[in-house]
Amino acid sequence: MYIILIQFGIPMKLVRLIKTCLAEMYSRLWVGKNLYDMFPIRNGLKQGDGLLPLLFNFALKYAISRVQVNQDGLKLNGTYQLLVYADDVNMLGGGVHIVKEKAEALVVASKETGLEVNADKTKYMIMSRDQNAGQSHNMKIDNRSFEMVVELKNLGTTLTNQNSIQEEIKSRLKSGNACYHSVQNL
């Protein structure tokens, strides 16, 4: 992690300070009326640590930059598509083999930084107007299976494998109706 911070141009003084903050971490449990002895935290950060989002962003940006070195993918508006928002990463590709290659590269790069791709939360979808495009099975990468879906919600927008907008229109109408009826009695 410290090498990644240096590569992003973080001054050595700050890197040493972060290293010091993470090196000697201890925790203590308080259960009921009993306060237990301190024990060392050997791996990771404490939940709620102010450094956590910052270090996560650097680690994820490094992993993504490693994936983007090989630019074989779907090109939209002149750029290859690897879309990232917070901890959600979306890869677009012209076919399942390109998405699989990108996903494999992301899994490897994530391991290098200490991050792990959660197979239970990772889904993939092949978008095509071709009725047979979604006939593939679950994708296997690094002994993990990624589920193929025909519809997913990304940043509040419903996407379908047939690139159909009808489901999104229904979803927005339903949301609008719920909002209208909730303020009806005010």
Side-chain angles (χ1 to χ4, degrees):
M1 183 69 214
Y2 307 117
I3 294 169
I4 294 169
L5 292 173
I6 293 167
Q7 286 179 354
F8 280 109
I10 303 300
M12 275 306 295
K13 184 176 183 177
L14 289 177
V15 173
R16 283 193 304 273
L17 184 61
I18 290 169
K19 196 181 240 186
T20 302
C21 289
L22 299 179
E24 297 287 327
M25 292 187 66
Y26 290 88
S27 226
R28 188 177 234 183
L29 287 177
W30 192 338
V31 180
K33 294 182 180 179
N34 299 327
L35 182 63
Y36 292 91
D37 291 335
M38 290 176 44
F39 57 92
I41 297 176
R42 299 191 198 321
N43 191 9
L45 298 165
K46 290 192 314 188
Q47 188 172 357
D49 190 319
L51 284 175
L52 186 61
L54 181 67
L55 296 177
F56 174 78
N57 285 341
F58 278 117
L60 185 60
K61 184 161 178 62
Y62 174 80
I64 288 167
S65 69
R66 301 275 303 193
V67 173
Q68 288 180 327
V69 168
N70 180 11
Q71 292 288 356
D72 295 329
L74 187 63
K75 209 172 186 181
L76 298 172
N77 295 329
T79 61
Y80 293 96
Q81 297 303 305
L82 186 61
L83 311 172
V84 182
Y85 181 78
D87 63 346
D88 291 331
V89 178
N90 298 298
M91 288 181 257
L92 304 178
V96 70
H97 65 283
I98 290 181
V99 172
K100 185 174 182 176
E101 283 177 19
K102 291 257 187 210
E104 286 171 342
L106 184 61
V107 166
V108 168
S110 297
K111 280 184 180 178
E112 289 176 17
T113 63
L115 298 176
E116 185 176 322
V117 175
N118 186 338
D120 294 333
K121 292 184 176 181
T122 304
K123 316 279 186 247
Y124 80 98
M125 180 173 67
I126 305 299
M127 292 180 75
S128 173
R129 294 189 191 275
D130 178 11
Q131 294 293 329
N132 297 321
Q135 298 298 325
S136 186
H137 298 287
N138 290 352
M139 185 185 306
K140 282 229 178 237
I141 298 172
D142 195 32
N143 293 327
R144 293 184 226 158
S145 184
F146 298 107
E147 179 187 355
M148 187 189 82
V149 294
V150 295
E151 160 180 315
L152 59 86
K153 198 163 200 111
N154 181 46
L155 298 177
T157 301
T158 303
L159 304 171
T160 67
N161 67 339
Q162 298 295 312
N163 207 10
S164 170
I165 196 161
Q166 281 85 6
E167 292 303 315
E168 178 63 19
I169 292 170
K170 286 180 194 174
S171 173
R172 290 187 185 219
L173 283 172
K174 185 177 176 182
S175 178
N177 283 334
C179 183
Y180 172 77
H181 291 294
S182 71
V183 296
Q184 193 70 21
N185 295 330
L186 294 179

